[in-house]
Amino acid sequence: AAMREAGSGLKTAWRGQITGAGLGRRLANSIRSQAYPKVGESLNAAALVWSKAPVIVGAHDTGPLIRSRDGFWLAIPLPAAGRGRRGAKLTPGEWERRRGMRLRFVYRRRGPSLLVAEGRLNTKGLGVASRSKTGRGRATVPIFLLVPQVKLPKRLDLDRDAERALDSVPGLILANWLETRL
């Protein structure tokens, strides 16, 4: 009973941390717990708490440095880029295929470089091709920010809650033992 209590308490604490950090209810619900043995009592009882999305949770727990695969640039879509299928973020190649426009690289000495398109912003704020023959409304629209690397901020401290749960186990065992005695 004590291990079941400690496991569920740790699960609740981790879920609270994840939602408190603004990472969403779905990621918080990926935290699971299991007590062993599943039924009955045992002197070798244990509790296991884990995540069904360990890579995402681990990244927010450690705060890693993210670099591009080939060592060039990370393309961060701006609002003018819009969204891809099922709300996914677009890549520069996919954006060019969908819009039928070429992206141009703009190097900036200060701040991140840009990928821009020669077009216009539509009423929804998305970069689209200008159909005007005279060039009215045409503008250089920034579509992607290009950065060499990004440092993900450390938003979680799961080890702190795990240590608290571990420290609470002797007290929980004693409380449950006294409860069954009385």
Side-chain angles (χ1 to χ4, degrees):
M3 293 311 291
R4 213 172 279 116
E5 248 178 85
S8 65
L10 180 59
K11 177 179 77 168
T12 305
W14 280 6
R15 284 183 174 186
Q17 258 195 64
I18 291 171
T19 53
L23 299 175
R25 169 90 5 233
R26 286 185 69 190
L27 186 61
N29 286 340
S30 75
I31 302 294
R32 309 294 176 154
S33 71
Q34 181 68 55
Y36 299 99
K38 291 185 179 180
V39 286
E41 283 80 31
S42 171
L43 291 176
N44 295 325
L48 176 65
V49 180
W50 75 96
S51 172
K52 298 205 39 133
V55 174
I56 298 170
V57 172
H60 287 288
D61 189 33
T62 59
L65 185 69
I66 300 172
R67 292 192 172 132
S68 72
R69 282 190 198 139
D70 4 345
F72 292 112
W73 301 96
L74 286 175
I76 301 170
L78 294 172
R83 291 292 193 159
R85 291 179 181 257
R86 296 184 184 154
K89 292 185 176 177
L90 291 171
T91 64
E94 189 178 349
W95 189 90
E96 284 181 337
R97 279 192 303 279
R98 285 174 167 258
R99 299 282 192 260
M101 299 169 60
R102 299 290 299 167
L103 291 170
R104 184 170 48 95
F105 178 78
V106 175
Y107 177 77
R108 297 193 310 174
R109 198 176 287 201
R110 296 195 197 289
S113 297
L114 300 170
L115 283 178
V116 299
E118 298 299 325
R120 64 180 177 85
L121 288 176
N122 68 5
T123 55
K124 294 179 182 174
L126 302 177
V128 294
S130 176
R131 294 189 301 266
S132 172
K133 303 254 191 294
T134 61
R136 181 182 57 85
R138 181 167 285 198
T140 301
V141 181
I143 306 295
F144 290 95
L145 282 178
L146 298 174
V147 293
Q149 61 193 19
V150 175
K151 176 84 168 115
L152 196 65
K154 182 174 169 39
R155 292 181 172 181
L156 305 174
D157 191 6
L158 302 179
D159 291 336
R160 179 192 65 211
D161 285 340
E163 289 295 323
R164 282 187 191 154
L166 191 61
D167 293 342
S168 72
V169 169
L172 290 171
I173 291 172
L174 187 60
N176 281 306
W177 184 68
L178 289 175
E179 198 173 282
T180 57
R181 288 294 214 195
L182 299 176

